[in-house]
């Protein structure tokens, strides 16, 4: 790895120099990327010992809890109602095709039976079971793919030193061996990639905590791809993708939209996209957060994401007893009903020929373009010309033929008031 930094073009980009050099994705990996883009909709799960406090996954940092005190938490984590069958069934009922669960969040706690530490669910909690293994087995049974969210950032390990911008109150000594930490992280990833069946992807997060460090991404990414070539690597570093990554993610934002402040430097790459969002305002279980987004808002986010050629990863933060809060279950079930009806216009599509507009988005599959009108602005909709002859336009719900005209100015289609749907009015344009 070190030798690569002599490459003049890379000298000034520390992280690029550390990424998987000369990465050429395997055929299995390319196939997995296609699958990923077709799948479109996944369930994000933030679950850990922090859930006990009902104050989100950043509670250790935000409440300034030191390591000593935080270690009391696992004793209260006893999710006796955890039933992976229910979780997977819920994801499927919502129309989701994959699950991405936190194997380790920033508190460093391993949600599987790690042999490299006792800071894990089997060694420290009264529950004593490997919840990831249980979930992996169930996903396999129910035919849904599993990704692991894995935090680079670790507020617990002493070797995570020099420390980054967060976790300053954890009470760790002012010393540590950085490369030992990276060895430990790679060792844990190896456990996940060798003991849990096919892992559809690793979703990294937390690199932004120390973005100028030598993260040795080359070694980590190569390890993952050598163990499971089809495993898709994504990294929520909020920058343009590095070599060795297989998809690009956006947090609480559609690709290229820098509305949240998370992604100011983020550039769009060529890889498949995914955007993630919360159902209220929290990732990990938050007892007081009642800011639930409506089903309509969430469906529209999913549709917009598809129009931006992106997947949508929608988060739940299960409760410490292992149940998913009823508000989430209800909303996901409703979304699933909508997907049952409109799935054709989302799954297997790519961003359509008309780029996202204020009125909505387009998606496309073969010779069909799905026009999703989310904010109708007029009774006539003008689509810019995209160089293809339109044969017919029909209303997705009713099958009614829509009046339209195609000329040098584009395609004008009449969308009368009575044809509008409150969530999404979909028209099929046949090319
Ligand atoms: O700090 C995390 C946060 O807890 C959560 O996991 C989200 C999910 O995208 N990502 C991080 C912030 O970028």
């Amino acid at each position: 790895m070190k030798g690569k930094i002599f490459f003049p073009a890379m000298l000034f980009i520390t992280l690029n120099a550390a990424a998987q050099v000369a990465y050429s994705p395997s055929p299995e990996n390319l196939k997995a990327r296609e699958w990923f883009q077709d799948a479109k909709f996944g369930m994000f799960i933030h679950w850990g010992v922090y859930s006990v406090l009902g104050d989100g996954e950043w509670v250790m940092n935000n409440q300034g809890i030191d390591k000593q005190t935080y270690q009391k938490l696992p004793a209260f984590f006893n999710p006796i109602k955890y039933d992976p069958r229910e979780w997977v069934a819920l994801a499927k009922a919502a129309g989701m095709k994959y699950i991405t669960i936190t194997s380790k969040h920033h508190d460093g706690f391993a949600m599987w039976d790690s042999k490299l530490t006792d800071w894990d669910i089997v060694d420290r909690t009264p529950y004593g079971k490997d919840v990831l293994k249980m979930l992996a087995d169930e996903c396999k049974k129910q035919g849904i793919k599993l990704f692991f969210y894995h935090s680079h950032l670790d507020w617990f390990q002493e070797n995570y030193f020099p420390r980054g911008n967060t976790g300053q109150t954890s009470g760790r000594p002012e010393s540590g061996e950085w490369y030992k930490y990276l060895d430990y992280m790679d060792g844990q990833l190896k456990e996940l990639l060798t003991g849990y069946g096919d892992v559809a992807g690793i979703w990294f997060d937390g690199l932004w905590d120390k973005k100028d460090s030598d993260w040795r991404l080359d070694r980590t990414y190569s390890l993952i791809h050598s163990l499971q070539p089809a495993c898709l690597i994504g990294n929520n570093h909020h920058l343009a993708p590095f070599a060795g990554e297989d998809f690009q993610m956006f947090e609480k934002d559609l690709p290229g939209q820098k509305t949240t402040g998370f992604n100011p430097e983020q550039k769009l790459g060529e890889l498949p996209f995914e955007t993630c969002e919360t159902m209220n305002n929290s990732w990990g279980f938050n007892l007081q957060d009642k800011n639930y987004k409506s089903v309509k808002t969430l469906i529209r986010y999913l549709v917009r994401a598809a129009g931006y050629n992106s997947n949508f990863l929608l988060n739940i933060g299960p409760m410490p007893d292992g149940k998913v809060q009823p508000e989430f279950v209800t909303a996901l079930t409703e979304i699933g009903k909508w997907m049952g009806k409109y799935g054709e216009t989302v799954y297997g599509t790519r961003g359509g020929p008309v780029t996202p507009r204020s009125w909505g988005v387009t998606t496309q599959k073969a010779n069909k373009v799905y026009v999703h009108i989310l904010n109708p602005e007029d009774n006539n909709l003008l689509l810019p010309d995209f160089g293809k002859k339109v044969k017919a336009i029909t209303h997705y719900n009713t099958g009614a033929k829509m009046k339209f005209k195609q000329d040098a100015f584009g395609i004008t289609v009449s969308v009368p008031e009575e044809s509008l749907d409150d969530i999404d009015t979909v028209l099929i344009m046949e090319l």
Side-chain angles (χ1 to χ4, degrees):
M1 185 54 258
K2 288 261 158 60
K4 303 292 189 291
I5 56 170
F6 294 114
F7 229 108
M10 286 181 167
L11 268 176
F12 59 98
I13 316 171
T14 334
L15 279 168
N16 247 349
Q20 191 174 348
V21 180
Y23 172 56
S24 120
S26 64
E28 301 95 296
N29 189 285
L30 293 174
K31 211 168 136 210
R33 291 181 189 188
E34 281 293 309
W35 164 82
F36 181 67
Q37 286 194 290
D38 287 345
K40 278 289 173 301
F41 192 25
M43 174 181 270
F44 209 179
I45 303 180
H46 277 70
W47 200 40
V49 289
Y50 45 77
S51 312
V52 168
L53 296 177
D55 194 13
E57 75 290 354
W58 271 69
V59 64
M60 180 178 180
N61 179 87
N62 294 354
Q63 289 190 17
I65 306 175
D66 63 50
K67 200 177 141 171
Q68 197 83 14
T69 312
Y70 197 82
Q71 285 185 74
K72 293 181 177 165
L73 277 186
F76 308 123
F77 190 74
N78 193 16
I80 48 172
K81 294 194 179 146
Y82 170 56
D83 181 353
R85 250 179 324 168
E86 263 182 28
W87 286 16
V88 179
L90 178 63
K92 289 184 78 172
M96 292 156 159
K97 305 290 186 194
Y98 59 99
I99 290 177
T100 304
I101 188 168
T102 44
S103 43
K104 175 185 99 151
H105 207 268
H106 309 332
D107 64 359
F109 191 77
M111 292 297 278
W112 76 98
D113 187 14
S114 177
K115 301 291 176 253
L116 300 177
T117 180
D118 69 348
W119 185 231
D120 73 45
I121 188 157
V122 172
D123 294 319
R124 294 284 183 115
T125 73
Y127 190 63
K129 291 192 232 172
D130 184 331
V131 293
L132 295 191
K133 183 80 181 80
M134 293 160 77
L135 185 64
D137 292 346
E138 194 54 42
C139 283
K140 190 165 180 207
K141 229 184 260 171
Q142 295 197 43
I144 197 160
K145 298 204 192 241
L146 185 63
F147 290 60
F148 292 127
Y149 166 112
H150 207 78
S151 176
H152 285 297
L153 159 59
D154 196 310
W155 295 326
F156 191 86
Q157 290 303 320
E158 300 188 350
N159 285 327
Y160 186 88
F161 188 87
R163 283 193 284 279
N165 295 320
T166 65
Q168 301 294 348
T169 51
S170 63
R172 286 167 293 172
E174 291 302 316
S175 61
E177 290 183 57
W178 177 240
Y179 291 102
K180 276 201 179 147
Y181 171 71
L182 294 181
D183 289 343
Y184 165 79
M185 194 187 68
D186 287 349
Q188 287 206 319
L189 286 165
K190 190 169 178 191
E191 290 183 337
L192 291 169
L193 286 149
T194 50
Y196 296 79
D198 289 340
V199 177
I202 300 289
W203 205 106
F204 283 109
D205 202 354
L207 186 144
W208 36 260
D209 186 54
K210 284 172 72 150
K211 59 180 179 169
D212 296 325
S213 282
D214 174 15
W215 280 97
R216 245 178 33 189
L217 291 181
D218 181 27
R219 198 190 287 205
T220 303
Y221 288 179
S222 303
L223 170 77
I224 295 169
H225 285 138
S226 69
L227 292 169
Q228 295 204 23
C231 180
L232 301 176
I233 298 178
N235 198 324
N236 193 28
H237 41 50
H238 309 308
L239 301 165
F242 302 132
E245 293 169 10
D246 304 303
F247 67 103
Q248 182 177 14
M249 72 259 290
F250 302 82
E251 182 169 336
K252 288 180 159 288
D253 235 339
L254 293 160
Q257 308 296 295
K258 299 177 178 176
T259 60
T260 57
F262 284 125
N263 320 317
E265 306 163 55
Q266 194 164 31
K267 297 205 178 61
L268 296 187
E270 297 293 312
L271 301 174
F273 295 152
E274 183 192 66
T275 173
C276 57
E277 183 50 292
T278 49
M279 295 190 70
N280 45 8
N281 282 338
S282 313
W283 299 103
F285 175 58
N286 189 322
L287 187 68
Q288 293 276 44
D289 184 352
K290 301 182 192 73
N291 299 303
Y292 303 113
K293 295 179 184 73
S294 67
V295 168
K296 176 171 163 176
T297 302
L298 294 171
I299 292 176
R300 285 164 159 232
Y301 202 101
L302 166 62
V303 169
R304 274 204 188 88
Y308 276 79
N309 203 24
S310 171
N311 283 17
F312 182 41
L313 186 65
L314 180 57
N315 182 73
I316 59 166
M319 299 186 287
D321 65 353
K323 297 296 274 188
V324 177
Q325 58 190 101
E327 295 85 354
F328 292 172
V329 174
T330 310
L332 289 173
T333 313
E334 287 303 310
I335 295 173
K337 283 189 201 151
W338 190 91
M339 282 301 269
K341 195 164 166 193
Y342 290 86
E344 174 195 327
T345 73
V346 174
Y347 299 125
T349 63
R350 299 292 180 269
V354 178
T355 53
R357 307 274 139 169
S358 54
W359 52 260
V361 296
T362 61
T363 54
Q364 180 166 14
K365 194 163 27 185
N367 66 335
K368 282 185 182 167
V369 172
Y370 301 98
V371 180
H372 297 265
I373 307 170
L374 302 169
N375 301 310
E377 286 166 355
D378 219 332
N379 287 346
N380 287 325
L381 178 69
L382 174 66
L383 301 162
D385 180 53
F386 50 89
K388 289 265 164 71
K389 171 109 185 77
V390 176
K391 283 194 197 151
I393 303 184
T394 47
H395 192 275
Y396 183 80
N397 258 351
T398 62
K401 294 275 175 220
M402 311 299 285
K403 284 191 203 146
F404 75 99
K405 185 178 85 181
Q406 185 167 24
D407 57 24
F409 298 103
I411 304 141
T412 314
V413 52
S414 147
V415 195
E417 200 76 28
E418 62 276 12
S419 66
L420 296 177
D421 182 275
D422 182 44
I423 297 184
D424 180 8
T425 307
V426 187
L427 309 180
I428 311 176
M429 229 164 34
E430 257 178 81
L431 307 181

